[in-house]
């Protein structure tokens, strides 16, 4: 919109130095609080572990080796593939994916509903959606545990309604973790989807109806494709933190539903941990996320041009 | 004009539309024959878009009926009505190419692939967009977007095409060129066009018939000549073309024309008179170009002094202060010689042919 004006401003040297000065604090904050810790983790992952936590400053690939290979209890057997951690990764991806789909199924209609309200009421609805998230995540997760336990309110309600005759076992299941993740990150889906539906031009829906498209076809062929950036953003914002989450799996999933987040957490907790291994797992997770995002960005730019 | 029931494309019977307490449209009645280029003309906010949306089915009527080829449309959702719309801001699907946009309606109708491809090609040819078939809407100019929207709307072969100010976003030259193209397209396809505009020139240039609207009511329906020469009321006369309105009093009748007395006592013969008792007061309309200016006033004629002269290229527009108070707008064509021109302060005579003035019904 103001492209021409910006170009002219960009070309003037005085403006550029002012801009640099103004941006400097942001760069410092990002550098110190984001890049330095990630870099530290990268370094730690290539060091040797100290038995009581911490690291010895000695280069080692042991952490990555431990992730991939099983060399027996004393490390002297021929290496075979270590499935434990790969399984945890796969389970985490699956759990995060299910949580993302749940968020989308509930979040899209919610966002659509809010975006189609009278503009005076939209802020109220958005506010209501975010209210539960003012409470600490730990407390929310614990209350979820309370809600779905065997003799909790949910089971009692279903029993009273006669929908079930036996209490459902929900706690310590995959589903409980998915539910917990879904509830933890729902607003991360609702808000970006809302932002793009709010900008959606509803005369496009009218045009589609005018051209003989029914309600569902309009949603599938016109609304979804046009608001796709918002949906993708929402999915990324839910999927990534779900992948590394440890509260929901710890509290709702029990021991057999271990996820990456818990695995990393274990390595840094108390005296039993293994810092280089925790750092290596974190780096593997980070690289996977970055690669996925890069593939997405490339596809995005390709469809924009094409 | 055909009056046979079968050939009436759109019939609107006493249709009203309210938004809450606000009356956007009140007891509108229209009958649009098959194959006609019909225009809804009126100022912004008069309810033109509302009427179009009622026909397309985006809004429900508050009262009255809309019939399409004799079939009542009430309760039929937009996607089941055999009409298509060209939206004011085109509403092209941004994620589809031009040809995908044009194919959309055909796909929804379930045509087979080869027929879709053939029709899309034909439509793109019709609007001269063959070369831009694979572009996205944002890569098109305003005029090209307009053509794409047109092609998309006529591709499924609607019986009636609704166009909501399709030319208003274009610049003047393009707009004038598109007028002719649209008119030609309507003739070639034989589709009934219901065209909305607030531009009187556009309406006069393109339409078979025009309905003039204001404040949610249809003021008058007729062809361009009827509306211009014989407007029913002050609003219509003022909205289309320029007008002088003069309060006058019926003085008598002669040669089938009514004699009206102007405030300064001068008598003019008016056409379009409704029967009225002698002495009754009416407003008469005098178009600026129907008044002639002469250099040497004749005895007994209207006389005045030029108070303003504006040169407009083909015409000159004068404001003439008539002896006895009123002031009239006069428009004269500029001929080759300088003789026919007058300057501010010149004393002139005014010549008004019998029947050039019209009596307004109210
Ligand atoms: N959905 C609506 N709710 C309330 N008022 C509306 C709505 N649509 C149109 N109106 C009002 O109805 C009147 C006519 O609108 P419209 O048909 O769009 O006029 P036009 O197309 O002739 O400019 C306007 O005053 C407008 O504000
Ligand atoms: Mg309008």
């Amino acid at each position: 919109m103001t492209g021409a004006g910006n170009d002219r401003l960009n070309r003037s040297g005085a403006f550029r130095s002012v801009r640099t000065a103004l941006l400097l604090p942001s760069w410092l904050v990002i550098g110190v609080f984001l890049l330095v810790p990630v870099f530290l983790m990268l370094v730690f992952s290539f060091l040797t572990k100290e038995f009581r936590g911490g690291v010895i400053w000695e280069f080692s690939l042991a952490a990555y080796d431990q992730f991939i290979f099983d060399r027996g209890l004393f490390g002297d057997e021929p290496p075979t593939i270590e499935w434990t951690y790969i399984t945890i990764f796969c389970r985490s991806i699956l759990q995060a994916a299910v949580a993302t789909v749940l968020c989308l199924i509930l979040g899209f209609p919610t966002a659509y509903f809010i975006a189609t309200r009278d503009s005076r009421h939209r802020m109220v609805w958005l506010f209501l959606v975010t209210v539960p998230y003012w409470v600490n995540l730990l407390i929310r997760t614990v209350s979820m545990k309370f809600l779905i336990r065997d003799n909790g309110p949910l089971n009692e309600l279903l029993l009273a309604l006669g929908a079930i005759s036996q209490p459902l076992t929900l706690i310590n299941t995959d589903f409980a973790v998915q539910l917990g993740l879904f509830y933890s990150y729902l607003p991360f889906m609702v808000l970006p989807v809302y932002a793009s539906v709010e900008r959606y031009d509803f005369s496009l829906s009218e045009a589609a109806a005018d051209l003989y498209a029914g309600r569902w076809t309009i949603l599938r062929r016109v609304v979804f494709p046009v608001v796709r950036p918002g949906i993708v953003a929402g999915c990324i914002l839910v999927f990534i933190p779900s992948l590394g989450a440890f509260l929901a799996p710890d509290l709702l999933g029990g021991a057999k539903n271990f996820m990456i987040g818990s695995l990393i957490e274990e390595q840094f907790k108390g005296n039993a941990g293994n810092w280089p291994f925790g750092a290596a797992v974190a780096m593997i997770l980070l690289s996977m996320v970055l690669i996925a995002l890069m593939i997405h960005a490339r596809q995005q730019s390709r469809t924009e041009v094409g | 004009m055909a009056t046979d029931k079968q050939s009436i494309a759109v019939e609107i019977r006493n249709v009203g539309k309210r938004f809450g307490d606000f009356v956007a449209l009140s007891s509108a009645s229209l009958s649009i024959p098959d194959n006609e280029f019909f225009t809804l003309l009126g100022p912004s906010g008069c309810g033109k878009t509302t009427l179009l949306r009622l026909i397309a089915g985006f809004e429900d009527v508050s009262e009255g009926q809309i019939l399409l080829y004799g079939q009542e449309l009430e309760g039929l959702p937009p996607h089941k009505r055999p009409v298509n719309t060209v939206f004011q801001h085109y509403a092209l699907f941004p994620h589809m190419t031009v040809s995908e946009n044009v194919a959309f309606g055909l796909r929804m109708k379930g045509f087979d692939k080869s027929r879709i491809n053939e029709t899309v090609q034909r439509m793109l040819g019709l609007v001269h967009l063959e070369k831009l078939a694979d572009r996205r809407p944002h890569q098109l100019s305003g005029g090209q977007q307009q053509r794409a929207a047109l092609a998309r709307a006529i591709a499924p072969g609607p019986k009636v095409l609704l166009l909501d100010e399709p030319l208003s976003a274009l610049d003047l030259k393009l707009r004038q060129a598109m007028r002719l193209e649209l008119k030609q397209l309507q003739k070639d396809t034989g589709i009934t066009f219901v065209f909305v505009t607030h531009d009187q020139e556009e309406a006069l240039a393109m339409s078979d018939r025009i309905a003039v609207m204001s404040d949610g009511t249809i003021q008058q329906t007729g062809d361009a000549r009827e509306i211009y020469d014989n407007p029913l009321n002050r609003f219509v006369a003022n909205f289309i073309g320029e007008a002088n309105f003069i309060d006058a009093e019926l003085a008598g009748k002669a040669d089938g024309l009514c004699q009206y007395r102007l405030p300064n006592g001068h008598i003019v013969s008016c056409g379009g008179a409704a029967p009225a008792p002698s002495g009754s007061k009416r407003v008469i309309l005098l178009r600026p170009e129907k008044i002639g200016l002469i250099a040497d006033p004749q005895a007994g004629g209207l006389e005045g002094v030029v108070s303003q002269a504006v040169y407009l290229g083909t015409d000159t527009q004068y404001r003439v202060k008539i002896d006895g108070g009123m002031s009239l707008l006069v428009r004269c064509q500029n001929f080759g010689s300088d003789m026919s021109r007058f300057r501010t302060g010149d004393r002139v005579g005014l010549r008004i042919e019998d029947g050039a003035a019209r009596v307004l019904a109210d």
Side-chain angles (χ1 to χ4, degrees), chain A:
Chain A
M1 272 171 284
T2 55
N6 275 342
D7 283 350
R8 213 176 308 130
L9 286 174
N10 283 347
R11 260 180 253 123
S12 92
F15 177 79
R16 209 177 302 150
S17 57
V18 168
R19 191 179 63 179
T20 310
L22 286 173
L23 284 176
L24 200 63
S26 321
W27 286 116
L28 275 178
V29 169
I30 291 173
V32 171
F33 293 107
L34 188 82
L35 296 180
V36 170
V38 169
F39 182 71
L40 265 183
M41 278 296 112
L42 183 65
V43 172
F44 274 26
S45 72
F46 289 105
L47 296 179
T48 307
K49 80 166 171 180
E50 168 103 73
F51 276 96
R52 337 190 80 229
V55 288
I56 301 168
W57 287 82
E58 202 170 287
F59 179 79
S60 160
L61 285 173
Y64 291 95
D65 188 88
Q66 182 186 348
F67 187 88
I68 303 169
F69 298 114
D70 179 8
R71 293 175 193 274
L73 197 55
F74 303 103
D76 51 1
E77 291 168 34
T80 52
I81 296 286
E82 170 68 271
W83 288 107
T84 316
Y85 306 120
I86 295 172
T87 311
I88 290 176
F89 258 70
C90 293
R91 181 182 322 122
S92 302
I93 291 169
L94 184 72
Q95 297 287 65
V98 174
T100 307
V101 170
L102 287 178
C103 280
L104 188 58
I105 291 172
L106 201 86
F108 184 86
T110 309
Y112 192 91
F113 173 85
I114 298 173
T116 49
R117 289 317 94 188
D118 199 312
S119 58
R120 281 168 298 163
H121 300 144
R122 287 181 203 159
M123 280 305 137
V124 179
W125 284 106
L126 280 180
F127 175 75
L128 288 177
V129 166
T130 51
V131 162
Y133 297 87
W134 296 18
V135 175
N136 180 286
L137 178 62
L138 177 63
I139 295 173
R140 270 184 289 137
T141 311
V142 171
S143 6
M144 177 70 86
K145 183 176 181 147
F146 169 79
L147 276 175
I148 63 171
R149 67 190 170 159
D150 291 359
N151 53 355
L154 182 66
N155 269 318
E156 304 220 316
L157 180 73
L158 289 176
L159 282 171
L161 288 175
I164 50 172
S165 54
Q166 292 275 354
L168 294 174
T169 312
L170 292 170
I171 203 79
N172 295 347
T173 60
D174 279 359
F175 179 68
V177 177
Q178 291 152 7
L179 202 65
L181 291 174
F182 153 78
Y183 181 56
S184 301
Y185 301 116
L186 183 60
F188 293 165
M189 181 65 81
V190 173
L191 296 178
V193 173
Y194 164 79
S196 62
V197 176
E198 202 244 359
R199 264 178 297 145
Y200 174 76
D201 175 8
F202 280 89
S203 68
L204 295 180
S205 292
E206 286 187 345
D210 193 62
L211 294 162
Y212 315 106
R215 188 187 293 242
W216 290 106
T217 316
I218 294 173
L219 205 60
R220 199 163 49 85
R221 295 287 197 91
V222 181
V223 181
F224 275 147
V226 174
V227 304
R228 208 181 76 113
I231 294 177
V232 171
C235 289
I236 291 174
L237 288 179
V238 171
F239 184 76
I240 290 176
S242 296
L243 202 54
F246 59 88
L247 276 179
D250 278 5
L251 292 170
L252 301 169
K256 64 183 192 322
N257 287 297
F258 221 58
M259 282 175 61
I260 310 172
S262 324
L263 180 62
I264 298 172
E265 186 208 8
E266 294 267 286
Q267 309 309 320
F268 292 96
K269 219 162 62 175
N271 289 339
N274 178 345
W275 285 22
F277 183 63
V281 176
M283 289 324 292
I284 293 168
L285 179 62
L286 184 67
S287 339
M288 279 174 37
V289 167
L290 282 180
I291 289 168
L293 285 180
M294 263 152 53
I295 291 172
H296 166 70
R298 172 169 298 182
Q299 272 176 350
Q300 187 83 349
S301 64
R302 197 174 301 154
T303 52
E304 291 293 302
V305 173

Side-chain angles (χ1 to χ4, degrees), chain B residues 218-291:
Chain B
I218 294 172
Q219 302 290 336
Q220 187 174 1
T221 308
D223 64 25
R225 185 171 286 275
E226 264 175 85
I227 300 252
Y228 187 81
D229 284 345
N230 228 343
L232 279 179
N233 59 37
R234 207 171 162 128
F235 175 83
V236 175
N238 212 7
F239 194 74
I240 301 203
E242 292 166 317
N244 292 298
F245 296 108
I246 310 164
D247 294 318
E249 194 182 303
L250 185 60
K253 275 195 173 185
D255 305 333
L257 294 174
C258 294
Q259 310 282 322
Y260 274 85
R261 183 179 295 115
L262 305 188
N264 66 352
H266 190 83
I267 302 273
V268 289
S269 304
C270 300
S278 183
S280 62
K281 305 242 184 225
R282 280 296 163 87
V283 172
I284 65 171
L285 161 72
L286 202 47
R287 294 284 186 195
E289 76 280 5
K290 301 220 161 137
I291 306 175

